[in-house]
Each structure stands twice: as C-alpha cells, then as structure tokens.
Amino acid sequence: ALATAEYGEAATAAFRAALDTARSEVTGAFEVRQRLDDEVPDDEPTQRAWYEEIIRRCEVASERLDAEADAFDRLRALEEHLEENLARLDAALSAAEARLPAADAALGDLGRRYAPSAFATVAGNADQARERIAFGWEAMADARASVGRGERPAAALPVRAAEDAMAQGGTLLDAIGRTVTDLEAALGQARAVLAELDNDLAAARAAQAAIGAGTPAVADLAARVA
C-alpha cells in the first residue's frame, strides 16, 4: 500500500502480483497441511510428497516476495540519492553515447571483412544501443521535470528506466566488441589450420616423388593429396 501510494498502480503492479502469488502459494501449502492433519491415515511416501510440496510452495512464495522487496528497495534507494544518481547517469549515458561512433566503425569493418552471417547477431546492435541511450536521456528529462515539481517518488521511476536503458545499451555495444574479438580469434585459428594443411600437402607430395610412380601406395597418396 505504501509503495502504491508513493509510486502509483502501474509501477507497483509487479509487487502486487508477487504478493498475490505468495498468498496463493501459502494458501495451497495450508491446504496440503490440512490433508496431512485430517483423520485419514496416509502412508509414508504420501506424507513425504506432501511435506515436499509444502516446502516448495513456501520457497516459491518467499523467493517472489524477496525479489520484489529487492526491487522496491532499489527504487527507494534511487529516490533517496536522487541527485547523485542523476549525475551518475548523466556521466554513464554520455560515456555510452561516446562509444557509438566506434561501434558503427567496427560494424562497417566487419561488413568489409566477413560474410553477413558471421556477425548477423550483432548487425543491428549499434542502432538498438542508440535507441536505448536516447530513451535514457528522455527518461532523465522526465526525472528532472518531476524533481522540479517536487515529486521525488515520481522522479525515481524514470531514473530506474534510464538506468536500465543505459545498461541495455552498454550490453549491446559490448557484444559488438566481443564479436570482433571472437572473429579475429577464429580467423587466426583458420590461418593456422591452413598453414598446417599446406605443410601436410607438401610432405605428401615429397613422399610421392620419393616413392616413385606406378605403385599402389603412390596412387593412394595421390588420391589423398587431390
């Protein structure tokens, strides 16, 4: 109720869903417990299975509540340190934005050196990162507008959105760098394998010449070399 009053229905929908899920799981656990306590005798495997179900239901309820409590604590922390978080995200979004030209250049270089299929998974990453960063700046503007109106709880929501957008943009850009590194490593391995094959072929041809023509061994070797 406190979270809803501060942040609104939409922002706390996940909290409400977690509470409803936990309530349902605990209700189910009590129903199983009632079956254990009724006058009908149950054998040991049945009792064990029901106790395990009670534990599982309670664990599910606890995990959902803990996860949403952590999310709520994060939101409260963002609000409590609002000015510091705005300054931190300004710097982080600027840093992510500064990486975009290098990401564009890296993708252009990949396009010149490799088949499209080699980097298809990251081909759109720079554009997607640009969109996420732009969304982050918009969220920051919304947060500052809320601060200007004295609505600090409302400002925490776009700050959280900006933080998520910045993290997503960084992840997209990091993936481009990893792809460049992976392809360079694969190319180096391919060159090493080709060099090894060239050496093997040279040795096979030398063996052909040493054995001489007209023998079954040379014919077999010639087929392998071909």
Side-chain angles (χ1 to χ4, degrees):
L2 174 63
T4 302
E6 289 186 331
Y7 302 112
E9 292 284 350
T12 54
F15 302 160
R16 180 68 62 189
L19 184 59
D20 291 343
T21 297
R23 184 175 286 110
S24 174
E25 292 292 347
V26 172
T27 298
F30 274 115
E31 290 172 352
V32 175
R33 178 70 199 194
Q34 287 172 349
R35 293 203 298 271
L36 282 164
D37 292 342
D38 63 20
E39 67 280 1
V40 180
D42 306 305
D43 59 26
E44 183 177 345
T46 299
Q47 292 181 34
R48 182 180 297 276
W50 284 350
Y51 279 123
E52 288 175 352
E53 183 178 351
I54 291 171
I55 292 171
R56 180 187 59 78
R57 285 179 174 276
C58 291
E59 286 176 342
V60 168
S62 181
E63 288 169 2
R64 283 295 304 272
L65 291 175
D66 286 346
E68 293 304 331
D70 290 344
F72 180 61
D73 289 343
R74 175 191 168 198
L75 200 56
R76 293 300 298 272
L78 288 173
E79 178 190 347
E80 184 177 351
H81 304 285
L82 200 54
E83 288 73 20
E84 298 95 318
N85 285 313
L86 287 170
R88 174 178 60 83
L89 284 170
D90 272 340
L93 285 168
S94 295
E97 197 167 49
R99 295 175 62 189
L100 290 172
D104 289 330
L107 287 172
D109 185 56
L110 289 174
R112 288 186 292 272
R113 299 178 62 195
Y114 300 99
S117 58
F119 61 98
T121 56
V122 299
N125 277 30
D127 290 338
Q128 293 176 37
R130 189 172 280 106
E131 291 173 1
R132 300 312 301 157
I133 293 168
F135 175 83
W137 284 123
E138 292 172 4
M140 291 286 283
D142 290 343
R144 286 195 164 88
S146 294
V147 171
R149 294 190 297 269
E151 300 171 353
R152 292 180 68 85
L157 295 171
V159 166
R160 183 177 65 178
E163 194 171 59
D164 291 343
M166 184 272 299
Q168 292 162 5
T171 299
L172 289 163
L173 295 175
D174 290 343
I176 296 174
R178 285 196 302 273
T179 299
V180 170
T181 300
D182 291 346
L183 287 174
E184 287 290 343
L187 184 58
Q189 292 168 0
R191 286 173 174 154
V193 170
L194 289 172
E196 184 178 349
L197 288 172
D198 284 339
N199 290 334
D200 289 345
L201 285 170
R205 292 190 179 104
Q208 280 182 280
I211 294 171
T215 67
V218 168
D220 178 63
L221 195 54
R224 292 174 182 272
V225 168

